[in-house]
């Protein structure tokens, strides 16, 4: 019998889990042709999440959990999940019911047809501000245009992955992770299904504007070096015009005896150049910072428990 794992990263989800579990229970009991596993990754929750998970496991042995030593962020929690799932395939699901478990049977059908990565694309994005929607669209466009493989817009982490994809993802162990890009990077046979993303069932979204911007910078810097190239191109263009202006004004001063005027022009030029230089240094810094973090070769997460056994 094939085994299907459902991976649920959880951070402060004490209110969502009691709503999520009945849905998963219903799903598993209605699809008895598969063996099921639910793997909860407790990402250092500060509320009662871990105790709820333990209570669920006590009642249902299809549930496994990994307890991380602190909050490592969803991207790292997912890697922990990739390491510990035991299924022939895996569905990544948010704990807050924004990803409807009712879509899983359809994903399984496509999996049986031979697709390795069945991803759910959002037809709508639930209750999100106009600004967040616009920003994420622009971000996807930048990423897609500048990387050598297709980046899918409006596709989250909600997807079914075959064992071959799980193994491939386990090999990508960089510490600053942008998993959405990795799903595209690994390739394999992909299939899209469309769904309406609802709102959070309970609790608060763990993302704010800054953490999303950080993820966006992480996405861009880990998948493309285009910003460095753009900085070079802008630098080249500015230098080219500066060169022409040098000749023009030197000629004018020497042969026409024109005295130097235009304090404003000079200030504007200096500020413009200063700004561009700082921006370029900042971009360089982003990449250097990533190199610094990667060279430390720290593990991307630390887990203290797998089910009842302490990891040492
Ligand atoms: N999550 C996590 N670690 C974190 C933040 C979030 O494991 O540091 C989990 C969270 O419990 C949820 C999923 O990631 O299951 C998506 O989080 P959230 O709903 O806050 O994100 P959004 O739906 O707003 O993108
Ligand atoms: Mg959510």
């Amino acid at each position: 019998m094939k085994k299907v794992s459902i991976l649920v990263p959880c951070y402060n989800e004490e209110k969502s889990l009691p709503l999520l579990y009945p849905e998963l229970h219903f799903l598993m009991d209605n699809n008895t042709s598969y063996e099921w596993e639910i793997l909860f990754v407790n990402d250092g929750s500060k509320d009662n999440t871990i105790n709820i998970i333990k209570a669920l496991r006590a009642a249902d042995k299809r549930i496994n959990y990994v307890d991380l030593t602190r909050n490592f962020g969803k991207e790292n929690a997912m890697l922990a999940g990739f390491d510990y799932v035991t299924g022939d395939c895996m569905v990544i699901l948010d704990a807050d019911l924004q990803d409807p478990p009712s879509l899983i049977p359809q994903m399984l059908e496509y999996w049986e047809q031979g697709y390795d990565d069945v991803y759910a694309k959002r037809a709508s994005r639930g209750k999100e501000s106009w600004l967040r929607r616009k920003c994420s669209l622009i971000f996807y466009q930048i990423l897609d245009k500048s990387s050598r493989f297709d980046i899918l817009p409006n596709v989250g982490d909600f997807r079914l992955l075959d064992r071959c994809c799980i193994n491939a993802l386990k090999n990508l162990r960089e510490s600053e992770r942008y998993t959405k890009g990795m799903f595209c990077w690994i390739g394999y046979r992909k299939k899209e299904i469309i769904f309406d993303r609802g709102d959070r069932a309970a609790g608060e979204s763990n993302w704010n504007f800054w953490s999303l911007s950080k993820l966006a910078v992480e996405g861009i810097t880990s998948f493309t070096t285009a910003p460095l190239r753009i900085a070079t191109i802008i630098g080249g263009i500015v230098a080219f015009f500066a060169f022409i202006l040098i000749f023009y004004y030197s000629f004018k001063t020497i042969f026409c005896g024109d005295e130097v005027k235009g304090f404003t022009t000079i200030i504007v030029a200096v500020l413009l150049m200063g700004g561009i230089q700082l921006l370029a240094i900042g971009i360089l810094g982003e990449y250097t910072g990533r190199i610094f973090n990667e060279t430390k070769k720290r593990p991307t997460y630390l887990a203290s428990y797998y089910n009842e056994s302490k990891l040492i």
Side-chain angles (χ1 to χ4, degrees):
M1 202 190 278
K2 287 182 184 168
K3 185 169 183 182
V4 181
S5 296
I6 299 176
L7 166 61
V8 189
C10 306
Y11 177 58
N12 295 346
E13 298 287 2
E14 62 178 4
K15 294 204 188 83
S16 312
L17 290 184
L19 303 172
L20 174 72
Y21 178 68
E23 295 231 4
L24 294 181
H25 191 82
F26 178 81
L27 172 83
M28 295 189 292
D29 287 356
N30 278 300
N31 293 277
T32 44
S33 49
Y34 294 104
E35 192 187 335
W36 291 90
E37 172 196 37
I38 303 177
L39 179 74
F40 289 112
V41 179
N42 177 38
D43 186 16
S45 300
K46 294 184 177 64
D47 62 3
N48 206 22
T49 303
I50 187 66
N51 293 326
I52 294 178
I53 294 174
K54 283 179 183 164
L56 288 174
R57 174 168 163 81
D60 187 344
K61 281 289 174 270
R62 292 173 295 188
I63 293 177
N64 292 322
Y65 67 86
V66 183
D67 194 12
L68 303 189
T69 53
R70 64 168 171 87
N71 179 249
F72 282 91
K74 185 185 179 189
E75 305 294 314
N76 297 332
M78 281 196 291
L79 178 67
F82 301 160
D83 288 341
Y84 283 91
V85 285
T86 52
D88 298 301
C89 75
M90 162 185 80
V91 179
I92 306 172
L93 195 73
D94 279 4
D96 56 11
L97 282 170
Q98 277 190 299
D99 304 332
S102 54
L103 228 59
I104 294 176
Q106 200 189 340
M107 291 178 160
L108 286 169
E109 260 170 51
Y110 283 121
W111 179 52
E112 293 290 356
Q113 287 172 21
Y115 290 101
D116 298 315
D117 177 358
V118 186
Y119 60 87
K121 185 173 166 143
R122 306 166 190 170
S124 67
R125 296 178 59 99
K127 227 186 275 161
E128 262 180 9
S129 69
W130 176 88
L131 188 69
R132 178 166 168 179
R133 201 169 314 180
K134 263 272 163 310
C135 286
S136 79
L137 201 71
I138 293 172
F139 162 70
Y140 279 127
Q141 274 169 356
I142 296 177
L143 207 54
D144 189 43
K145 291 258 152 47
S146 56
S147 58
R148 268 188 293 129
F149 49 92
D150 291 341
I151 297 278
L152 307 159
N154 280 338
V155 176
D157 301 319
F158 181 31
R159 56 179 70 224
L160 180 147
L161 295 160
D162 184 77
R163 179 43 67 183
C164 60
C165 298
I166 304 174
N167 289 345
L169 288 166
K170 275 164 77 170
N171 283 330
L172 308 183
R173 302 206 74 89
E174 59 232 55
S175 54
E176 309 220 349
R177 308 181 64 78
Y178 182 67
T179 318
K180 282 185 199 55
M182 295 178 183
F183 296 136
C184 302
W185 186 88
I186 57 169
Y188 290 102
R189 276 192 78 192
K190 296 194 188 302
K191 177 75 190 168
E192 171 178 295
I193 51 179
I194 308 275
F195 79 114
D196 277 314
R197 187 162 159 97
D199 299 322
R200 241 178 184 280
E204 297 262 296
S205 170
N206 296 302
W207 297 99
N208 56 35
F209 186 74
W210 284 115
S211 59
L212 280 174
S213 329
K214 195 168 160 270
L215 187 70
V217 171
E218 224 138 77
I220 290 176
T221 48
S222 62
F223 279 95
T224 165
T225 47
L228 292 173
R229 212 167 310 133
I230 293 170
T232 317
I233 293 170
I234 293 177
I237 293 172
V238 173
F240 176 74
F241 281 109
F243 218 64
I244 293 178
L245 286 180
I246 288 171
F247 277 113
Y248 174 72
Y249 283 112
S250 309
F251 185 83
K252 231 173 132 191
T253 315
I254 295 166
F255 294 103
C256 311
D258 208 13
E259 71 194 47
V260 181
K261 271 185 283 181
F263 175 72
T264 329
T265 332
I266 293 173
I267 284 295
V268 167
V270 167
L271 286 181
L272 177 74
M273 280 313 297
I276 292 176
Q277 280 170 4
L278 281 181
L279 184 76
I281 293 173
I283 294 174
L284 258 178
E286 283 294 335
Y287 285 94
T288 324
R290 293 183 63 80
I291 297 171
F292 169 65
N293 282 335
E294 296 299 342
T295 48
K296 284 193 276 192
K297 291 228 179 303
R298 292 198 182 156
T300 37
Y301 66 85
L302 288 176
S304 51
Y305 279 93
Y306 176 63
N307 296 337
E308 287 75 30
S309 46
K310 192 168 171 110
L311 301 170
I312 43 170

